[in-house]
Amino acid sequence: QVQLVESGGGLVQAGGSLRLSCAASGSIFRLNTMGWYRQAPGKQRELVATITSISSTDYVDSVKGRFTISRDSAKNTVYLQMNSLKPEDTAVYYCQMRTMGLVYWGQGTQVTVSS
């Protein structure tokens, strides 16, 4: 079993920054992919960024150059540094781990960007 605990969401002004954190605990296999998803009201959940065990990363086009995903293996934690935030980034952000054919989700954290 894997548990994911998120933190760092909040309310920020457009152009500001936030850093989301997701701490994993439990039975963690060394080969895993972690990612951040987001879901705005009335919209499908959207993949924002992923990072593999060897730190290969991918981003949705809308956040490239603004967001950075990273991980700290010693702390079993993945981060999402969000810069130059825009109102359209407003959503609930979810942490995900995929490993051993299983998918785990965090509880979600609200990010609201005001104009």
Side-chain angles (χ1 to χ4, degrees), residues 11-30:
L11 173 64
V12 297
Q13 294 181 342
S17 298
L18 282 175
R19 190 178 75 157
L20 306 183
S21 299
C22 175
S25 62
S27 183
I28 302 171
F29 188 61
R30 65 184 180 90

Side-chain angles (χ1 to χ4, degrees), residues 8-52:
L11 173 64
V12 297
Q13 294 181 342
S17 298
L18 282 175
R19 190 178 75 157
L20 306 183
S21 299
C22 175
S25 62
S27 183
I28 302 171
F29 188 61
R30 65 184 180 90
L31 297 179
N32 63 76
T33 296
M34 299 191 72
W36 289 95
Y37 288 70
R38 65 187 181 186
Q39 188 166 25
K43 295 197 172 187
Q44 296 280 330
R45 190 169 297 186
E46 172 190 41
L47 177 65
V48 177
T50 60
I51 185 165
T52 70

Side-chain angles (χ1 to χ4, degrees), residues 27-81:
S27 183
I28 302 171
F29 188 61
R30 65 184 180 90
L31 297 179
N32 63 76
T33 296
M34 299 191 72
W36 289 95
Y37 288 70
R38 65 187 181 186
Q39 188 166 25
K43 295 197 172 187
Q44 296 280 330
R45 190 169 297 186
E46 172 190 41
L47 177 65
V48 177
T50 60
I51 185 165
T52 70
S53 300
I54 59 171
S55 297
S56 177
T57 60
D58 273 310
Y59 301 89
V60 67
D61 286 345
S62 61
V63 309
K64 287 181 179 177
R66 300 189 298 121
F67 291 10
T68 302
I69 189 170
S70 61
R71 64 192 299 164
D72 184 337
S73 296
K75 296 181 178 180
N76 293 318
T77 301
V78 64
Y79 305 94
L80 186 67
Q81 179 66 46

